Amino acid sequence: MASNSLESLLAWMKDTSQMLGWDQIVALDGHKLNLGLQHDHIIRLSQGNDLGVITGSMDIPDTNITHYLSGFRLAAPMLSFQRASLQSAKTALSLAVVGGTQMMVETVQGHKEIHSLTALDPLDGSHVTLDIPLGTNAANVVLDLANSEDVLLTLFRTPTEQREAGKLFKEWFDRLADQKRLHALAALPDQGNPFMFTRSIDVRTQHRNAPAQIPDTVDESGAVILFARSVNGAAGSFPGDNSGFKYLIPDDDAQHSYSATELFSRALIHRAAFGHALLQMLDDADFEHIADEAGSLAKMVARRGGLQVAATDYETSEYRFESDPFSLPTVGGAMPLTIEFDQNQVVQRWQGKASLPFRYRPLGGTTWKSYTVEISTHLLHEFRLWAEESGASGMEGELSTPYTHTQEVTIESGLPSLPAGEVEQIKDFVTNAVKRALLEAFSSTLTTRASEDYLTDVDIVGGSTLQASHVTLPFDQALFGQIHASGASFEIVQQQPLVVAGKRLQLTTEPVRENLRWTLEPLSGGGGETGQINETTGEYRAPAAHAMGGSYLRVLAIATDTGTGERSVTLITVQANPITINPQIQLCYYGQQVELSAGQLDGMPLNWSIKNPVPGESGQLVASDQPGGRTYIAGSKVSNKTYVLDEIEVKDSQGIESASAYVLVLQIEPLITVKPVENPNLPEGQVQLQAYINGNAVNPVWSLPVDGPGSISQAGLYSEDIGTKERFVLINAVADTGEFGKFEGHLILPLPLVDFPTVISALTK
């Protein structure tokens, strides 16, 4: 990895421009932007403006398979820099699947049945990935999910299934309202110094070093780069990926942590400093703007306006002078006020006319003489910025008159015949009054802080702002600093933590604050208990698993400063079970193999086994090429059986926590078909089943091979356990045909029943 120290960056920038013709280049750290997107997501959740619950189905081309997705919730969008490029505005985006149920339904001889069911939660690790151009409008950088391309759902193993699922999510994004679909990533200021305003932005991405091509991961090691053209500037060019253009954010400084860099061209900081000073000091100013061949502002010529000068006094060796307020018009003389901009300096020329009323008396005397003189001015000033050697403020400026030029203020008329010495002292006073008026006006308006003030008004997603901690002028101006969360002067350290049901989590803030009040805010649609938090200490206790409304819940924890009212918020996700295994149930035939995956809250390795294996019937587990998974290989055909049911168990390293999944291995094609019967009169949580042999209804013996959940009557009425955490039920039907022996069939139903009307309706067909 190339050195990316502050010193190496400054050496690269020294004495030469690296702006490539742009007025501004802004680099924003990807990790900090993602924190902002997460904070923005929390705000959207609390306001009901998240992406909502995504449900739908898709047929897989050239197969008899339909996938049903139900209750999918997505986490915050996260920028990923695997394919970062300085030549493209596209970037990769990843949205973790927080929860949902996926079922693979296969149609066999016109009959639909569930072949696998996966219940996703935050531990499952599935993502929706996509490419998206970072859009801009004037001074804003926007993520619009409707512009998504190549949307994929990583849950699936085949590219075709991933793409078909992606189409479903893309259609969902396209239908969303603006407040749900759009994410304002950054906004450059449109108030304050008008010379700093942005006309357009082009966005690129850059990786900190060579990206590691690890699939299904979020690579935050990069930056979003804004190439900005100011209202008075020209567009530049883009560096090539192998052009030697450095990664702009220092990342190996042991003393300071940087997450943002902003570069301003020399031409821009000169325009911004001098041009804005003029607009502030003049009344009713209007200028003609003249651009050079590239489109940058080269000259401003006054069309109207004036400098209002307050009453002043002045003493010479013999007289005391006082003037009434007067005005120096920008037009009307031999040359209107004209400002010429160059990369390294600003030149002001002004040949004007004015009326100056004044009075004077001898020192010690009491008799005043009053006159109004008509004057003409021939003024020339130069303004330059350069690096400040002490390093205290980064740069300093100088307003001067070229030593080759004599500034003239000439009295054209208004004086009677007076002694020559008296006239000379009047000329001294008039010249002093004009020059002092200009210098006093510039002293209160001319500043080198235009860029630093501008930086504090840059808005970053999630309410974050920029703050410069190192300002310098190696050639163009460079500001290195941090992206800070705004809205509060403190932040909860534990951002979006995961916690197991019944466990405790200590929340803290950075910096540590006294007088905080901690509260919880449940999110709509969660159900069940949300846990408790100590109002004083910030210790959160998750609810017990049985008290939760599902396999996971999300709740907002809020720290409020009782003195200032400032708040910081984090999103807590509680897992009913610290281990997740998927698919929770799936079918295969003898001799086939299927994949399973599992995740644990602490990320430690899990122990896999087949629980209570039956010799000669059960399959085996082998290593998988999928991370965090195992491959199940079904055993050889077992005679005189329709099914072999294996329970796959995963345990933590201590053997305390566990989770199970099931593989139903078909030995022969089941001869009984089981279907739900449409019956709108049944109460919620019940479904009537009917078994068929060759299309003829039969009355089998019903059973639940995995001991529930719920119960089934011998009339085929299934009743679920309200509040169960299980996401499926396996139902078995056995009919004794006498002469032909016993026939078997099965049905997998998703739970809770009320959440899957579309799937259950499809199974009735």
Side-chain angles (χ1 to χ4, degrees), residues 588-643:
C588 72
Y589 287 88
Y590 65 88
Q592 291 184 334
Q593 64 183 46
V594 294
E595 296 292 330
L596 298 103
S597 64
Q600 185 180 4
L601 194 64
D602 62 10
M604 298 297 292
L606 293 165
N607 296 318
W608 293 71
S609 66
I610 296 177
K611 190 173 183 179
N612 301 320
V614 179
E617 294 186 3
S618 293
Q620 60 177 317
L621 292 170
V622 299
S624 171
D625 58 0
Q626 302 294 323
R630 290 290 187 276
T631 299
Y632 170 86
I633 302 175
S636 301
K637 184 177 181 179
V638 179
S639 300
N640 303 319
K641 274 202 167 189
T642 303
Y643 305 104

Side-chain angles (χ1 to χ4, degrees), residues 490-512:
F490 64 96
E491 186 173 3
I492 297 175
V493 174
Q494 297 76 18
Q495 283 297 301
Q496 304 200 44
L498 283 171
V499 61
V500 179
K503 300 297 183 181
R504 299 174 185 268
L505 172 68
Q506 180 62 58
L507 297 174
T508 57
T509 65
E510 177 63 38
V512 176

Side-chain angles (χ1 to χ4, degrees), residues 318-359:
E318 298 182 44
Y319 296 98
R320 175 176 178 80
F321 292 86
E322 295 179 358
S323 68
D324 293 336
F326 67 98
S327 175
L328 289 172
T330 58
V331 295
M335 174 186 287
L337 175 58
T338 300
I339 313 300
E340 299 169 359
F341 296 102
D342 197 358
Q343 182 183 61
N344 297 312
Q345 70 172 4
V346 182
V347 177
Q348 173 186 272
R349 306 179 192 276
W350 193 357
Q351 298 180 32
K353 291 185 176 181
S355 295
L356 194 161
F358 71 98
R359 58 187 175 273

Side-chain angles (χ1 to χ4, degrees), residues 131-151:
D131 289 335
I132 190 168
L134 296 173
T136 61
N137 51 24
N140 300 285
V141 180
V142 180
L143 289 174
D144 186 349
L145 292 177
N147 295 330
S148 302
E149 303 173 7
D150 298 323
V151 185

Side-chain angles (χ1 to χ4, degrees), residues 61 96 106 163 172 411 413 493 626 638 644:
E106 187 171 1
R163 284 193 300 270
W172 182 272
I411 299 176
S413 62
V493 174
Q626 302 294 323
V638 179
V644 168

Side-chain angles (χ1 to χ4, degrees), residues 354-485:
S355 295
L356 194 161
F358 71 98
R359 58 187 175 273
Y360 67 101
R361 61 174 173 79
L363 294 179
T366 58
T367 302
W368 293 85
K369 295 181 181 180
S370 298
Y371 301 104
T372 297
V373 293
E374 301 299 320
I375 62 173
S376 63
T377 61
H378 184 193
L379 305 175
L380 176 66
H381 289 96
E382 294 178 348
F383 174 71
R384 294 183 182 85
L385 293 166
W386 65 85
E388 196 225 0
E389 293 183 359
S390 70
S393 61
M395 64 179 180
E396 58 187 351
E398 179 187 65
L399 181 68
S400 63
T401 298
Y403 69 91
T404 57
H405 176 81
T406 301
Q407 294 200 89
E408 297 182 359
V409 179
T410 304
I411 299 176
E412 301 291 344
S413 62
L415 288 180
S417 178
L418 296 171
E422 192 170 335
V423 170
E424 286 303 316
Q425 292 181 72
I426 292 173
K427 288 181 179 180
D428 288 345
F429 158 67
V430 170
T431 299
N432 176 269
V434 171
K435 291 183 178 179
R436 188 165 71 171
L438 275 173
L439 293 178
E440 287 180 350
F442 276 121
S443 69
S444 60
T445 60
L446 194 55
T447 175
T448 62
R449 289 193 52 86
S451 51
E452 293 173 72
D453 294 340
Y454 174 92
L455 194 70
T456 60
D457 290 331
V458 175
D459 290 329
I460 307 297
V461 64
S464 300
T465 56
L466 302 185
Q467 181 178 348
S469 56
H470 186 88
V471 183
T472 185
L473 195 71
F475 184 81
D476 301 299
Q477 190 184 25
L479 293 84
F480 303 94
Q482 296 79 31
I483 298 176
H484 286 304

Side-chain angles (χ1 to χ4, degrees), residues 147-259:
N147 295 330
S148 302
E149 303 173 7
D150 298 323
V151 185
L152 304 174
L153 177 60
T154 64
L155 167 68
F156 297 106
R157 302 191 187 279
T158 70
T160 298
E161 290 173 309
Q162 291 180 347
R163 284 193 300 270
E164 293 300 318
K167 291 178 182 178
L168 189 152
F169 284 93
K170 177 65 166 67
E171 291 170 359
W172 182 272
F173 295 155
D174 290 347
R175 294 194 298 266
L176 291 173
D178 287 357
Q179 66 269 26
K180 297 174 179 286
R181 194 185 76 243
L182 301 177
H183 296 263
L185 201 62
L188 301 183
D190 59 1
Q191 296 181 346
N193 188 329
F195 291 86
M196 299 290 290
F197 293 173
T198 301
R199 177 183 297 180
S200 63
I201 301 174
D202 284 274
V203 188
R204 297 293 185 267
T205 54
Q206 188 179 21
H207 202 279
R208 180 175 285 114
N209 44 54
Q213 298 297 328
I214 303 175
D216 302 339
T217 59
V218 174
D219 184 352
E220 296 185 289
S221 299
V224 172
I225 313 295
L226 280 55
F227 295 90
R229 176 186 183 184
S230 74
V231 291
N232 296 304
S237 59
F238 298 105
D241 288 327
N242 299 310
S243 64
F245 189 80
K246 281 189 171 287
Y247 188 77
L248 295 177
I249 303 174
D251 60 5
D252 63 355
D253 191 317
Q255 303 299 319
H256 298 91
S257 175
Y258 297 102
S259 52

